[in-house]
Amino acid sequence: MAPGSSTLKEVVETHLTSEDYSRPTVKPEVTTATTKVTSSLISKHGLSSTNGVNELLECPVCTSLMYPPIHQCPNGHTLCSSCKVKVHNCCPTCRYELGNIRCLALEKVAESLELPCSYQNMGCQDIFPYYGKLKHEQQCSFRPYTCPYAGSECSVTGDIPTLVSHLKDDHKVDMHHGCSFNHRYVKSNPQEVENATWMLTVFSCFGRQFCLHFEAFHLGTSPVYMAFLRFMGEENEAKMFSYTLEVGGYGRKLTWQGVPRSIRDSHKKVRDSQDGLIIQRSMALYFSAGDRRELKLRVTGQIWKEE
């Protein structure tokens, strides 16, 4: 087998989803509320983002920062709207019924605050208004990446060097230095194409890392194979590179040229967008010698940096 080559191993595909936060615009049913804020937190420049204010804005149930609508019980204990449902409208502090009281005073306090990004320790030095902080963090380029290993439910997150080590040590992914690759996929029973996904190799070139993926699935009712490349970094950086993939045999070949997708996009999202080299099973069998008894595909490729 040529240097940098490998045989694919089948794994089970899973993926995670996330929900975005949007600030409610509806008016509350009841708007009476009082919250005490010590005078030491107030200066001529407005409210400072001290630990005291942060503690006031921390939900006692989920310990996350609270966003409108912020609810309170008749005794003034507050909690976020999500947790209000979880505690069945019963104050977790004093056990009084919560009702529909909005803590407008605390919401007003939050409007006056400016806070650092939660990913400050990872390099983000920006400061944001309280209600703009969460939206920024959902898109912050310093936020940790999710493990890009396809086909397993992996909750590991971190920066790129951390994930590269994790892929090598924990997922046993092959590491390859260089911008060209040559991989072979062999399947003894090609008559069945089951949904499966593999992560072949992590390539290091131009000082960056790229993940080569291979998928077997049904496109409609047609069984197909698909290969594509993902970039370990942000989308704007991924656009600086291009790659080709090629598979063939018996004087014929299929070639794909594209731009690697950022690992911010899941492998499933890339696959479903068909952004890669797609090989129909009949063509794959032809490339394998045409006897339909064994599938042998050799995928070659090249990565380069656009000028």
Side-chain angles (χ1 to χ4, degrees):
M1 189 175 297
S5 63
S6 64
T7 301
L8 292 79
K9 299 179 180 179
E10 295 190 18
V11 290
V12 180
E13 177 186 4
T14 62
H15 66 282
L16 302 177
T17 60
S18 60
E19 295 180 355
D20 294 330
Y21 164 83
S22 59
R23 180 178 176 181
T25 57
V26 295
K27 295 183 178 180
E29 296 179 12
V30 182
T31 60
T32 59
T34 57
T35 301
K36 294 181 180 180
V37 181
T38 59
S39 59
S40 61
L41 299 176
I42 304 176
S43 68
K44 64 180 180 180
H45 300 294
L47 290 167
S48 60
S49 56
T50 63
N51 289 335
V53 176
N54 287 342
E55 290 175 2
L56 286 174
L57 290 164
E58 186 178 277
C59 175
V61 180
C62 66
T63 70
S64 298
L65 291 177
M66 295 184 289
Y67 293 87
I70 299 175
H71 296 275
Q72 72 171 33
C73 76
N75 290 325
H77 302 124
T78 58
L79 78 164
C80 70
S81 58
S82 296
C83 290
K84 181 176 183 289
V85 178
K86 295 177 183 177
V87 299
H88 306 292
N89 205 38
C90 180
C91 176
T93 304
C94 67
R95 315 308 297 174
Y96 267 74
E97 185 177 349
L98 288 167
N100 292 304
I101 305 174
R102 279 277 289 276
C103 189
L104 299 182
L106 195 53
E107 291 179 10
K108 194 68 176 178
V109 167
E111 289 180 359
S112 304
L113 297 179
E114 289 188 345
L115 301 173
C117 174
S118 296
Y119 307 120
Q120 186 179 47
N121 63 339
M122 300 184 73
C124 184
Q125 301 301 314
D126 293 332
I127 304 294
F128 299 91
Y130 185 87
Y131 291 134
K133 176 175 177 287
L134 187 62
K135 182 177 180 180
H136 159 77
E137 290 173 352
Q138 292 172 342
Q139 300 296 325
C140 180
S141 60
F142 291 94
R143 71 192 190 280
Y145 295 90
T146 301
C147 173
Y149 189 80
S152 71
E153 186 173 343
C154 184
S155 60
V156 171
T157 62
D159 58 15
I160 299 303
T162 298
L163 291 183
V164 170
S165 297
H166 165 67
L167 290 169
K168 178 182 178 182
D169 298 336
D170 298 330
H171 293 298
K172 309 303 180 184
V173 171
D174 292 337
M175 299 289 159
H176 178 75
H177 292 276
C179 299
S180 60
F181 43 90
N182 183 346
H183 285 275
R184 188 176 62 151
Y185 169 60
V186 177
K187 185 175 178 61
S188 58
N189 182 12
Q191 299 304 317
E192 295 182 2
V193 174
E194 299 178 355
N195 288 354
T197 177
W198 302 270
M199 185 171 183
L200 295 177
T201 302
V202 171
F203 296 94
S204 294
C205 58
F206 302 106
R208 307 308 298 266
Q209 288 76 35
F210 303 81
C211 303
L212 177 64
H213 295 270
F214 194 90
E215 302 266 349
F217 62 102
H218 284 83
L219 187 58
T221 58
S222 302
V224 299
Y225 302 93
M226 180 177 176
F228 56 90
L229 205 68
R230 292 164 76 201
F231 173 73
M232 296 189 71
E234 296 297 311
E235 181 182 358
N236 62 325
E237 298 175 296
K239 293 178 179 177
M240 299 167 56
F241 300 92
S242 294
Y243 72 101
T244 58
L245 292 173
E246 183 177 297
V247 62
Y250 297 93
R252 295 164 178 81
K253 64 181 179 180
L254 291 174
T255 302
W256 165 265
Q257 179 173 326
V259 176
R261 297 282 286 271
S262 166
I263 59 172
R264 295 290 189 197
D265 292 337
S266 68
H267 74 279
K268 183 179 185 300
K269 181 177 180 179
V270 181
R271 184 200 71 188
D272 290 349
S273 66
Q274 302 176 37
D275 193 2
L277 175 64
I278 297 178
I279 312 158
Q280 299 289 337
R281 185 177 64 180
S282 57
M283 183 62 70
L285 290 172
Y286 179 82
F287 290 151
S288 301
D291 57 13
R292 294 183 174 270
R293 286 179 289 185
E294 188 175 49
L295 187 67
K296 296 180 180 179
L297 286 179
R298 185 173 295 278
V299 180
T300 61
Q302 183 81 27
I303 305 169
W304 69 91
K305 189 172 184 178
E306 297 290 350
E307 298 295 336

